[in-house]
Each structure stands twice: as C-alpha cells, then as structure tokens.
Amino acid sequence: MRDSAPILIFDSGVGGLTILAEVRKSLPQAPVIYAADFAGLPYGTKSEAEVAARVCGLLGRMAERYQPRLICIACNTASTIALGMVREVLEIPIVGTVPAIKPAALTTSSGTIGLLGTGATVRQPYVDRLEAEFASDKRLIRHAADALVPLAEAKLRGESLRAGALTQAVAGLRDHPDARNLDTLVLACTHFPLLADELREVFGARVQLVDGAQGIARRIAHLTQGQAMERTQDDYAIATGPIASLEALSATLARYGLKQLSRF
Ligand code: DGL
C-alpha cells in the first residue's frame, strides 16, 4: 500500500465532517478524501434499494479510482442499510457509522433514551438488533427527523435557519408522552451533531447528546495502526452533482483541512 493511500470518508452530504473532525484528532497525519453524494442527498427519505444501489455503486467506483486504505461510511442511513453489502464487494476495511445505542444505554440514568435519525434509519432491522442487544431494559423512543438534514446543510453554508424549523422537526420526540424522563439523546445521523447547540436549546441541559464519532475515529485508528501515512498533497473533497454545491462550502471545507475540491 502507498504511504499516501487515503482514508475515504463518505456521506450523502456534509454530515460526515463530524466524523472527519474526530479522525483528525486521532490521526492528524492521515491523508483524507472526503466524499459527498450531493446528487443523492437526502438518503433518509429514499428506499432501502435506492440507498443500497447508490452507495455500493459509488463506493466501488471511488475505491477503484482513489485506492483508499480504508473507507468510512460516515452516514447512519447508508451504514444501517448497506454496510454488509459494501463489505461483500470491496476488499478493503469498511468502517460503518451506526446509532450509538450502546454508549447511550451506558450513559442514561433514567433509562429513557431518545433516538433521532432519518426516516430510513429509524425503521432499520439493524437498529432493532442494536436495541435488543444493548437497550432491551431501557425505553428507546425513535423519532424520524429528516427535516434536520437540510438545516444542517444550510448552517454549514452560512445560511440562517428558519425560526422554529428545528423545534418543529423534533417536537414529536420532545413532547412524546414517554419522554418525560428523557435524559439521553442519540444523534443517529451524522448531520445532527452540527446542530448540537440548537438541539441543546430545545431539549435542555439535563439531556445528554450522544453520537458515535469518537468511537469511529478510535476504530479507524485501530485498523490502521502501524501503517505508514504520508500526506503528499492537500486533502480534498469530492462530490457528485453540480460543483457549485461544493464551492458554496469551500470556506467550511477549508476549516476541516479540505483545500481542494473536485467533482466526482
Ligand atoms: N448523514 C446521513 C446519516 O447519518 C443522512 C442524511 C441524509 O438523509 O442523506 O444518516
């Protein structure tokens, strides 16, 4: 493997940047390509078949073109639907991002956990299995909040958020009859930590927000342990769809160390 072989971090949009930020902390020397499927965004309102076909097809082509040492699917929707399929077709390590139910179950004192994800994520059998394995003695309230995805995208483009839009998107969980003792909230979509401040305002300080980014960065560091890494050029972002979507984000992407942008 080349020392410059990148870690490829993939999401439907900007959500995977929350994973990239943690990867940077544990592996500052790692060459990275950030890939956003803007042409397919959002995944959360698509069918399982559509998401699986897109993700498998795109990652196959990206793996061939960029020869990454590892791919991180930095998207809960894509991971809970297609992680197994991607692992079957690609021969490099694939790290998925799945709802952080296990750490949330360890964190909660009241036993009531909220889970905010996309519509596609909250209905996945993968989530049923995580709940059965780690939270069978807890009350897990799942809530689809697809409307948060465009809000996170807008925030990173520097646009102001429509007043009340975020509260409206999560009201079904906040006002749920079983949510009185809610003390832990799983952010089961990589876009949602980008709205952590706004979510804290709605849910209050007694609700802890939990996401999987640190655990994923640890897993990537473990899987690449001992590998030589050399950055021979600036890290870069690639995206499907019009290049303008990527260019509108250039200042944000530069803050994440992604200094070149190109269309995939
Ligand atoms: N960031 C993706 C996730 O973690 C979802 C956003 C979308 O709907 O495309 O689920």
Side-chain angles (χ1 to χ4, degrees), residues 7 23 27 70 72 95 216-225:
I7 291 173
V23 171
L27 293 171
L70 176 150
C72 172
V95 175
I216 288 152
R218 272 198 302 275
R219 180 83 191 129
I220 294 175
H222 173 75
L223 290 172
T224 56
Q225 210 169 14

Side-chain angles (χ1 to χ4, degrees), residues 66-83:
Y66 302 108
Q67 305 282 310
R69 67 182 68 217
L70 176 150
I71 291 177
C72 172
I73 305 179
C75 173
N76 289 258
T77 311
S79 300
T80 55
I81 292 173
L83 185 55

Side-chain angles (χ1 to χ4, degrees), residues 2-15:
R2 292 163 301 134
D3 294 358
S4 61
I7 291 173
L8 190 135
I9 299 182
F10 174 87
D11 182 36
S12 54
V14 297

Side-chain angles (χ1 to χ4, degrees), residues 101-249:
I101 293 175
K102 183 181 177 184
L106 296 171
T107 303
T108 181
S109 310
S110 69
T112 302
I113 302 168
L115 186 145
L116 281 181
T118 65
T121 295
V122 300
R123 67 171 181 257
Q124 289 314 307
Y126 200 122
V127 181
D128 300 342
R129 290 197 292 275
L130 290 174
E131 179 176 355
E133 189 171 351
F134 302 113
S136 56
D137 58 341
K138 314 284 185 239
R139 185 187 300 264
L140 185 76
I141 310 169
R142 303 184 197 187
H143 182 72
D146 291 291
L148 295 182
V149 174
L151 293 181
E153 291 280 334
K155 184 176 175 184
L156 259 58
R157 285 178 169 75
E159 296 162 22
S160 50
L161 307 186
R162 185 169 60 80
L166 183 130
T167 309
Q168 201 183 342
V170 299
L173 174 61
R174 190 195 56 181
D175 305 333
H176 191 284
D178 293 339
R180 237 172 316 122
N181 297 322
L182 182 86
D183 68 354
T184 305
L185 183 56
V186 181
L187 302 184
C189 169
T190 52
H191 279 73
F192 298 172
L194 298 167
L195 299 167
D197 292 342
E198 292 83 354
L199 288 168
R200 271 191 209 100
E201 263 176 46
V202 174
F203 285 94
R206 88 188 158 85
V207 175
Q208 304 182 65
L209 306 183
V210 176
D211 68 67
Q214 282 183 3
I216 288 152
R218 272 198 302 275
R219 180 83 191 129
I220 294 175
H222 173 75
L223 290 172
T224 56
Q225 210 169 14
Q227 294 180 2
M229 294 188 188
E230 192 195 355
R231 187 179 283 114
T232 52
Q233 57 174 321
D234 282 338
D235 286 342
Y236 57 101
I238 56 174
T240 60
I243 187 76
S245 313
L246 203 54
E247 284 167 353
L249 280 163

